[in-house]
Amino acid sequence: MAPRANWKGFLRLSLVTCPVALYPATSESEKISFNQLNRQTGHRIKYLKVDADTGDEVPNEDIVKGYQLEKDQFIEVTKEELEEIALESTRTIEIDEFVDKSDIDPRYLIRPYYIRPDGKVGHDAFAVIRETIREMDKVAIGRVVLTNREHIIALEPMDKGLVGTLLRYPYEVRSEQEYFDEIQDVKVTKDMLDLARHIVNQKAGNFEPEKFEDHYETALIELINQKRAGKPITPKEKPAATNVVNLMEALRRSVGQEAAPAKAAKKPRKAAAGQKEMLMPIAGKKPAKEAGAKKPAARSQRKSA
């Protein structure tokens, strides 16, 4: 069962229209999160919406949006007024143009969504739009309204569906010049480039996301498990700083280090489908995934270590 759709409406290419649903393609809900607590009582901290001048708590029904003109002067905007300026893209993703993927500056990418037909109708029109984009080897650019704001969205085929990536507007992207202008012009010698290329060739591989491990998340899980088990927390040794200050010497040492036997390198663990599964189970409760079927004892012990 797919998660709840973030948006439902229509995908339109000229006169070809089909109902679609849009779902987030990424999630951070599996990451460890913390609550803020009162150190003295151990109780959770609660946030209240209060009037900045009187200090009185304000109920949600009395809170309105306001645009600040200057200090203590606001223009109030009601929900009804915002609904009146609703754009067509509130309910329809209109494809405006097709571009090469290489034309899209990666700085404009925000987040991806999965798009699929909504319901049992419109699958044929959806397939026509999807296969046209695939056949032309292009990215379709359209507009969609999410969280009351209109976004540019780039559509690409993926398997039987589409991936839509929200894009930033030009005013949201800072110019690189204010950061890069002070970078010094340095002449890089051929010898340096040759050594650097050698290192790159030794590290060459394929992009395989399943190999990546969130080391900080894993360290958080280990910390929580150790504290729950009542074990002492000992700080890990930090890597020693190197004294190499000559760039050519650093490159030569790097080449030698990368050529060292691979057995010295620690093989990264594959990230679990849900990192929180690696937490120790609460006493008297079974993990949700164990409710239907028991997992091998050895695996359970390894995850709770």
Side-chain angles (χ1 to χ4, degrees), residues 138-167:
K138 296 282 187 178
V139 175
I141 304 296
R143 290 161 287 130
V144 63
V145 171
L146 291 173
T147 59
N148 299 322
R149 298 299 295 265
E150 185 179 59
H151 298 270
I152 305 300
I153 189 167
L155 306 173
E156 300 175 75
M158 174 178 279
D159 195 19
K160 295 190 294 183
L162 292 170
V163 172
T165 304
L166 297 189
L167 303 178

